[in-house]
Amino acid sequence: MYDVIIVGAGPAGLTAALYLGRACRKVGIFDNDQPRNAASHGVHGFISRDGILPAELRAISRAQLATYPNVEVHAATVVAAARVDEGFEITLENGTRHRSRKLILATGLKDELSPVEGFSRFWSKGVFLCPYCDGWEVRGQPMVVHSRGEIAYKITRLLTSWTQNITLCSDGPAELDESQRKELALAGIQIIEEKLARLEGADSLERIIFADGTQLECKAIFTRSAQQQPGELAQQLGCKIDQDNFIPSNEAGATGIPGLYAVGDARTLAQQVVLAAAAGAGAATLINQELVTEMFKKLVEAV
Ligand SMILES: Cc1cc2nc3c(=O)[nH]c(=O)nc-3n(C[C@H](O)[C@H](O)[C@H](O)COP(=O)(O)OP(=O)(O)OC[C@H]3O[C@@H](n4cnc5c(N)ncnc54)[C@H](O)[C@@H]3O)c2cc1C
């Protein structure tokens, strides 16, 4: 029986494991090595680690965790999770079961890229998610926002921090109101509503080819991919996934189901390595406090 099981060994889960390990808790962390940022050429914005490869960041983190004998790291897919009397029970794909008093879901998200030819090929080689992560490397160059509606409007405005050469390619109706169109036009931003046919380039993205045969040179596309939970563990535990596909929880990650926490990308649009790590640390300290409180309650009741 673990004090805490953590599903997912990304920045969120690994940080939670480190905090709980250092609090002398018995921790089991289970991960199937499918990090969301696997395609990234460098994790940016994490102080002291700017530009590090995602795999290297994980390797360093795991090596440091290995010095805590009370933290067990398992390479495994968790296929099921249930609430049991003492807390939680998870089932691995080989049928093995493990129990814990508290459970953290740090399972990240899955991106569903546009099916347009080239989006998968240029993922992280010109097709990006977040300008804070990848904008600096392409600053000042022609950039495209691939999105529609309010979010397209917001990202397009945001991108002016990195370049003045921006085109909004909505791949269909842009779904902007007149005032938004006017504002973007005043900033010199063109809106192209023609459908995209494919992306082209040699080693990295060079241009977009539209369905009508026209083309647009660009070095970077910032796209809003649809985001899905990687599995159904949260639902199995009684959480109702919200309209944006996040696990509903408060700022600290508490889901409302006693002892169950969700941290990192799985619960928020604020998707950064440093924020995921901070969320893991925050949830871990709360969980440890809960475990301490439960122990004192038992002591008092036993008198
Ligand atoms: C292409 C790309 C580039 C990015 N670049 C940056 C950047 O430069 N800087 C930055 O700050 N952020 C960047 N991000 C965002 C950053 O990667 C995420 O915010 C961060 O990884 C979230 O951490 P996490 O621990 O919540 O999830 P993840 O890192 O995705 O980790 C989740 C883990 O859970 C595991 N898992 C899921 N389900 C199960 C299961 N059922 N059983 C076992 N294991 C499971 C997965 O295998 C995975 O290892 C980038 C994202 C992408 C997609």
Side-chain angles (χ1 to χ4, degrees):
M1 175 97 165
Y2 293 104
D3 291 318
V4 185
I5 283 177
I6 301 168
V7 187
L14 287 166
T15 308
L18 181 60
Y19 266 65
L20 288 161
R22 289 186 56 77
C24 306
R25 295 298 173 187
K26 187 165 186 234
V27 178
I29 179 163
F30 297 78
D31 187 82
N32 60 7
D33 200 24
Q34 291 172 25
R36 188 173 170 215
N37 60 353
S40 167
H41 295 285
V43 174
H44 294 110
F46 196 162
I47 194 77
S48 86
R49 292 288 179 267
D50 194 39
I52 192 171
L53 286 172
E56 199 186 343
L57 181 61
R58 285 179 166 232
I60 294 170
S61 308
R62 283 188 181 219
Q64 292 180 347
L65 271 185
T67 62
Y68 298 89
N70 49 325
V71 178
E72 296 172 6
V73 183
H74 302 266
T77 299
V78 178
V79 293
R83 292 152 76 181
V84 292
D85 287 345
E86 317 91 314
F88 300 90
E89 182 178 85
I90 61 159
T91 307
L92 309 184
E93 58 191 345
N94 66 6
T96 310
R97 292 169 188 218
H98 296 272
R99 288 194 171 196
S100 63
R101 294 160 68 191
K102 311 288 176 189
L103 179 61
I104 300 179
L105 297 178
T107 40
L109 286 171
K110 272 197 179 314
D111 296 290
E112 285 187 358
L113 290 179
S114 162
V116 168
E117 182 186 334
F119 268 79
S120 298
R121 181 180 156 211
F122 292 115
W123 184 226
S124 263
K125 285 181 272 181
V127 176
F128 303 113
L129 190 68
C130 152
Y132 290 103
C133 301
D134 293 298
W136 172 261
E137 283 67 31
V138 287
R139 66 195 183 281
Q141 303 194 56
M143 296 191 203
V144 161
V145 173
H146 175 249
S147 183
R148 294 179 192 171
E150 185 68 20
I151 188 79
Y153 167 72
K154 284 185 176 160
I155 298 171
T156 306
R157 281 170 51 114
L158 178 68
L159 215 54
T160 57
S161 180
W162 286 269
T163 186
Q164 299 309 306
N165 188 339
I166 306 168
T167 308
L168 170 56
C169 294
S170 51
D171 204 6
E175 297 168 11
L176 299 178
D177 63 30
E178 276 317 304
S179 74
Q180 291 170 327
R181 284 176 186 273
K182 192 173 165 194
E183 200 181 293
L184 296 184
L186 284 171
I189 294 164
Q190 191 190 1
I191 301 170
I192 299 178
E193 297 182 285
E194 182 66 29
K195 296 289 275 182
L196 275 59
R198 63 184 180 282
L199 310 182
E200 286 187 350
D203 291 335
S204 60
L205 177 68
E206 292 172 25
R207 71 193 70 84
I208 297 174
I209 310 294
F210 293 94
D212 63 2
T214 56
Q215 51 182 274
L216 177 71
E217 302 296 314
C218 69
K219 285 303 286 180
I221 296 176
F222 286 89
T223 186
R224 287 317 292 181
S225 60
Q227 303 181 331
Q228 304 291 346
Q229 293 290 323
E232 299 202 336
L233 299 180
Q235 294 95 316
Q236 291 168 7
L237 290 159
C239 299
K240 209 172 164 200
I241 301 304
D242 73 17
Q243 59 187 18
D244 297 317
N245 289 326
F246 295 125
I247 302 172
S249 53
N250 67 15
E251 275 302 303
T255 61
I257 293 168
L260 177 64
Y261 284 72
V263 293
D265 286 7
R267 64 158 298 274
T268 177
L269 198 55
Q271 297 166 2
Q272 303 281 309
V273 168
V274 71
L275 298 179
T285 54
L286 274 183
I287 286 174
N288 193 49
Q289 191 57 49
E290 275 180 23
L291 290 167
V292 168
T293 304
E294 287 166 15
M295 185 205 75
F296 272 95
K297 190 164 175 255
K298 273 191 191 153
L299 283 180
V300 171
E301 283 170 358
V303 178

